[in-house]
């Protein structure tokens, strides 16, 4: 049998107060335990960074629209209001669905900031990642993009930086021309090429005005309505099942509720629409459906056998986006 290695006592911790500095995974832990950082304090730090926050936009004005712009809408912008006001030299902060070359953020020549929503998250908390990017953009030199990085586990979140009473009013665009300021005399060739590719891939999308967070979109074969809803998932599934079993879950002739997405802790029911049905034609049926849904959500009656079958079908047609 192989000899057992004699066990050695771990060195006493050298850091007893304050934060343990972050070091390389294979380096000795600064606490003085004698173990590598990844097997000591790095384990808790890694868990804190990767732990998934199910509803990263919870508590922000317009949570449903945040989810829609993150997952469903190609081109849109929203002015953001900071809790402590704009820093000197920053005339505005604008949320954008995406920026050229997939930049996480951009500090324009005039000092204004564009923050991109559709970017990879380095941690399990998208609100923390975006807050870190926003803070760095506010301090960046004008005319420079902000690169991605691994975000500290204890940094602020968007909820700490944005005014909770501020409006969140998305403006949906037909393309990505908002990337280029009107005052620009010429366009960077890389940005121009990225703009051309993005415009070619964008699906025409319109935000309905009569209900919250509902987005019509056009595809070659049929149109769709994708509606981000704030209700608890189990309660919403019951309500949709009641309407589906009663034959009242559609938005009119040749339309049908086909399933739903699950994104950032919220449900997004999806309807198939005929190609002849544009966004304006969706407004009245969507408002009428909202009334039917409110009544169904208010019911506490047990589901009937038909409603349970309808619920099972809707559950089987869920797709998780995030």
């Amino acid at each position: 049998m192989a000899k057992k290695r004699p066990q050695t006592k771990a060195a006493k911790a050298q850091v007893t107060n304050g934060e343990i500095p972050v070091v390389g995974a294979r380096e000795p832990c600064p606490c003085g335990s004698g173990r590598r950082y990844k097997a000591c304090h790095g384990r808790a730090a890694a868990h804190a960074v990767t732990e998934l926050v199910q509803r990263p936009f919870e508590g922000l004005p317009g949570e449903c629209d945040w989810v829609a712009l993150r997952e469903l809408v190609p081109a849109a912008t929203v002015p953001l209001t900071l809790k402590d006001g704009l820093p000197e030299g920053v005339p505005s902060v604008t949320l954008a669905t995406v920026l050229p070359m997939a930049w996480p953020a951009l500090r324009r020549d005039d000092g204004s900031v564009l923050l991109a929503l559709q970017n990879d998250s380095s941690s399990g908390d998208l609100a923390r990642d975006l807050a870190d990017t926003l803070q760095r953009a506010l301090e960046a030199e004008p005319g420079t993009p902000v690169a991605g990085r691994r975000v500290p586990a204890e940094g602020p979140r968007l909820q700490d930086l944005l005014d909770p009473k501020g409006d969140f009013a998305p403006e949906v665009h037909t393309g990505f021309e908002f990337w280029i300021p009107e005052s620009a005399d010429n366009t960077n060739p890389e940005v121009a090429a990225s703009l051309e590719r993005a415009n070619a891939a964008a699906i025409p999308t319109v935000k309905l005005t009569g209900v919250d967070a509902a987005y019509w979109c056009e595809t070659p074969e049929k149109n769709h309505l994708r509606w981000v809803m704030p209700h608890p998932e189990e309660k919403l599934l019951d309500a949709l099942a009641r309407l589906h079993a009663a034959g009242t879950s559609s938005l009119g002739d040749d339309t049908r509720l086909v399933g739903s997405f699950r994104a950032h802790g919220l449900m997004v029911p999806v309807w198939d629409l005929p190609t002849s049905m544009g966004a304006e034609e969706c407004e009245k049926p969507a408002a009428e459906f909202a009334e039917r849904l409110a009544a169904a959500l208010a019911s506490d009656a047990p589901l009937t056998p038909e409603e349970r079958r309808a619920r099972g079908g809707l559950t089987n047609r869920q797709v998780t986006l995030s």
Side-chain angles (χ1 to χ4, degrees):
M1 294 180 63
K3 290 184 178 180
K4 292 184 178 179
R5 291 186 178 180
Q7 293 184 347
T8 58
K9 291 184 179 180
K12 286 187 177 181
Q14 297 173 354
V15 180
T16 56
N17 295 309
E19 294 185 358
I20 304 299
V22 176
V23 297
R26 293 180 172 274
E27 294 181 32
C29 186
C31 76
S33 65
R35 291 179 292 173
R36 290 179 177 176
Y37 179 69
K38 69 176 183 179
C40 193
H41 282 85
R43 181 181 299 171
H47 177 73
V49 170
T50 59
E51 187 174 4
L52 180 63
V53 175
Q54 296 290 340
R55 288 180 62 178
F57 306 119
E58 186 175 14
L60 290 173
E63 179 188 7
C64 293
D65 284 309
W66 278 91
V67 172
L69 268 57
R70 166 73 182 184
E71 300 293 342
L72 306 173
V73 180
T77 55
V78 189
L80 296 180
T81 304
L82 303 188
K83 186 179 292 186
D84 297 326
L86 292 170
E88 185 178 355
V90 180
S92 64
V93 175
T94 302
L95 182 73
T97 47
V98 69
L99 292 177
M101 277 79 77
W103 290 330
L106 172 66
R107 181 86 185 272
R108 281 179 162 165
D109 291 336
D110 66 353
S112 61
V113 167
L114 290 177
L115 175 67
L117 183 55
Q118 296 178 12
N119 273 308
D120 292 336
S121 177
S122 66
S123 76
D125 186 354
L126 185 56
R128 195 179 307 283
D129 292 343
L130 288 166
D132 178 78
T133 301
L134 174 56
Q135 284 188 314
R136 291 186 291 126
L138 292 171
E139 298 172 356
E141 290 294 325
T144 59
V146 176
R149 73 168 186 177
R150 183 175 178 179
V151 176
E154 301 301 325
R157 308 178 72 236
L158 283 175
Q159 290 81 346
D160 300 318
L161 303 183
L162 301 183
D163 185 349
K165 297 180 181 179
D167 291 333
F168 193 82
E171 179 182 358
V172 178
H173 304 277
T174 57
F176 296 87
E177 282 73 19
F178 64 84
W179 286 352
I180 304 171
E182 295 180 1
S183 59
D185 295 330
N186 51 55
T187 304
N188 181 304
E190 289 185 327
V191 172
S194 184
L195 173 63
E196 184 176 354
R197 290 192 300 270
N199 281 345
I203 295 174
T205 301
V206 176
K207 187 180 189 299
L208 299 194
T209 60
V211 294
D212 293 333
Y215 291 80
W216 171 95
C217 67
E218 179 184 13
T219 61
E221 295 183 358
K222 61 186 68 175
N223 299 339
H224 304 279
L225 184 69
R226 301 180 291 192
W227 193 341
V228 187
M229 297 186 172
H231 318 292
E233 181 174 327
E234 297 302 314
K235 188 74 173 176
L236 180 55
L237 279 170
D238 284 351
L240 292 174
R242 296 181 197 279
L243 297 179
H244 205 61
T248 58
S249 65
S250 74
L251 299 176
D253 294 339
D254 298 324
T255 73
R256 67 188 186 104
L257 176 63
V258 292
S260 62
F261 297 125
R262 184 190 288 112
H264 305 292
L266 299 182
M267 265 186 65
V268 189
V270 178
W271 285 263
D272 277 353
L273 312 173
T275 55
S276 59
M277 190 173 187
E280 290 186 4
E281 288 75 27
C282 282
E283 294 283 2
K284 183 178 178 181
E288 293 171 345
F289 177 85
E291 294 181 0
R292 298 196 298 272
L293 179 63
L297 285 166
S299 175
D300 291 325
L303 296 182
T304 67
E306 287 185 358
E307 290 168 346
R308 287 198 298 271
R309 284 193 293 271
R311 192 185 195 281
L314 290 170
T315 302
N316 290 335
R317 296 195 296 275
Q318 278 188 310
V319 177
T320 300
L321 299 180
S322 58

